[in-house]
Amino acid sequence: MTPERPRQVPFEEVRARIGEPDAMMRGKKQSELDEHLRRFIAHSPFLSMATADAQGNADCSPRGDYPGFVKVLDDSTLAIPDRPGNQIADSFQNLATNPRVGLLFFIPGLPETARVNGSAHATDDAEVLARMQVEGRTPQLAIVVRVEEAFLHCGRALLRSRLWDPASQALAEEIPSPGEIAADQFGLDIEPDTLNSMLEHGYQRLY
């Protein structure tokens, strides 16, 4: 028997409960990247990228590298390098049928984040890729984002989560290791320590 889902609240009721944003909050969304957003992106080593396929099935993936790995091509265009990963290519597949994209940039130690929404596509433009070379290696592909909306987001969520508090790292010790999780999920007859060693070896080849 399928359990009954919690009640769905209409947006009109949501708005009535949380209230209206003030004029300053309404006006913070920009259609281009100003100097503050450009500087934020230039210092960010990590972002989350949300995409969806033609049917609206959503996906969110992490992207990270040295600070400034995302390049600002102009006031309304970004480029994100595609570094070696699991080769599933969910984001590329989604963008091929639905170009809408949402980005959330983080800077370690800073509670505020930067949000960018717009449209995106894959590129192999040699000039763009050359700007993303790291340790002598140039990515084969990048994702070009046309910025339609960009703004800084307040730090309440990160402050509540204590994400940058060193004490929060103790939470990692309270869950099974990646090797234990993989052995269980995939039904592998391999010692978790062996899987952990394989993962660590793979992580050494970042580029």
Side-chain angles (χ1 to χ4, degrees), residues 16 39 49 52 62 91 114 116 156 183 191 193 202-203:
R39 186 177 293 113
M49 179 168 65
S91 299
V116 175
R156 290 189 181 92
E191 286 295 323
D193 286 346
Y203 291 155

Side-chain angles (χ1 to χ4, degrees), residues 126-162:
E127 184 176 343
V128 171
L129 297 179
R131 296 178 58 179
M132 300 174 169
Q133 185 181 95
V134 175
E135 298 186 3
R137 297 196 177 185
T138 303
Q140 297 185 60
L141 295 166
I143 293 174
V144 174
V145 178
R146 186 69 176 174
V147 178
E148 298 175 11
E149 185 178 69
F151 56 99
L152 293 179
H153 191 102
C154 78
R156 290 189 181 92
L158 267 66
L159 290 171
R160 293 189 193 107
S161 70
R162 298 171 177 81

Side-chain angles (χ1 to χ4, degrees), residues 51-54 88-98:
T51 60
D53 64 17
I88 295 177
D90 285 328
S91 299
F92 282 119
Q93 186 169 4
N94 286 346
L95 293 174
T97 58
N98 180 353

Side-chain angles (χ1 to χ4, degrees), residues 86 88 177-192 195-196 198-199 203:
N86 57 23
I88 295 177
S177 70
E180 291 174 303
I181 294 173
D184 182 53
Q185 288 185 332
F186 302 124
L188 301 175
D189 187 20
I190 303 176
E191 286 295 323
L195 290 172
N196 284 327
M198 293 169 62
L199 287 170
Y203 291 155

